[in-house]
Amino acid sequence: MLAQRQSKILLAAGGMVLASWALSDFVYAAAAPFALTSATFKDGTMMPKKVANMNAPNAPMPNPNCVGENVSPQLSWGGAPEGTKSFALTMVDPEGRGGLGVFHWVSYGIPANVTSFAEGEVSKASDKYVGGKSTQGVGNYSGPCTPPGSPHHYTFKIIATDLDPKELPPGLTLPEFEAKLAGHAKGAAGLVGLFVKPQ
């Protein structure tokens, strides 16, 4: 009888230990940090040539630094803050235009259930995001046309917001979007890809 009672106590204790392990795993998973990653390149490394921009066919004055295919990189994000209703994604070259910066991609209104874009998916308009207005004047991804020399640091940023996905109109520049975002940002995560015209 005593042995039977002891085995029941041991079983109960073992069950409590297992339950605490499972709970700690759940808490750890729930507390994962907000992060942005890419399968196309690793943070802080060179991006492949295909992500660079390309000249339009029959362009009257083609840019010799546009040497790619304008294939947008694959992007994934997770660990969004509680209360997120939509995301925004931007790509900025802080060294572009002699240090004034180039806004390569401004997008927002990405529904909270969208957590990735496939490679090449945002090189064109999509119903998964609202296109803003880049320095190049377009709403979709516009890749680098980096001159020879030192690599530029192309900064991708995902921003969690409490704005409804359809709340903002298309065509906002980055400064205009940031003004609308005041008081509505929940958190952000970043990723840096390097690029320079290959020699």
Side-chain angles (χ1 to χ4, degrees), residues 150-167:
S150 300
H152 287 200
H153 298 72
Y154 294 87
T155 305
F156 295 82
K157 183 167 63 173
I158 182 84
I159 306 166
T161 88
D162 64 6
L163 295 170
D164 182 84
K166 301 296 183 188
E167 190 156 338

Side-chain angles (χ1 to χ4, degrees), residues 16-29:
M16 288 175 67
V17 168
L18 286 172
S20 69
W21 285 348
L23 183 61
S24 68
D25 285 346
F26 173 76
V27 169
Y28 176 77

Side-chain angles (χ1 to χ4, degrees), residues 162-190:
D162 64 6
L163 295 170
D164 182 84
K166 301 296 183 188
E167 190 156 338
L168 299 179
L172 297 176
T173 64
L174 185 56
E176 289 170 341
F177 168 68
E178 288 174 339
K180 299 276 188 188
L181 191 59
H184 296 286
K186 307 286 290 180

Side-chain angles (χ1 to χ4, degrees), residues 10-139:
L10 285 172
L11 280 171
M16 288 175 67
V17 168
L18 286 172
S20 69
W21 285 348
L23 183 61
S24 68
D25 285 346
F26 173 76
V27 169
Y28 176 77
F34 192 24
L36 178 64
T37 59
S38 175
T40 305
F41 66 95
K42 300 298 179 194
D43 189 25
T45 66
M46 293 292 287
M47 296 188 291
K49 184 179 175 182
K50 63 185 173 183
V51 307
N53 214 329
M54 57 193 273
N55 287 298
N58 305 315
M61 294 181 64
N63 184 338
N65 299 320
C66 296
V67 294
E69 302 167 44
N70 205 47
V71 175
S72 60
Q74 188 278 339
L75 296 166
S76 298
W77 54 94
E82 188 176 345
T84 298
K85 293 182 181 178
S86 69
F87 298 104
L89 252 173
T90 63
M91 174 188 167
V92 175
D93 169 15
E95 293 105 337
R97 292 193 301 160
L100 296 176
V102 174
F103 311 138
H104 283 268
W105 186 37
V106 182
S107 66
Y108 40 88
I110 302 166
N113 63 347
V114 174
T115 56
S116 67
F117 286 126
E119 194 169 85
E121 185 174 1
V122 297
S123 297
K124 55 189 180 299
S126 166
D127 59 3
K128 287 186 181 178
Y129 70 90
V130 177
K133 187 178 181 181
S134 66
T135 302
Q136 296 85 351
V138 297

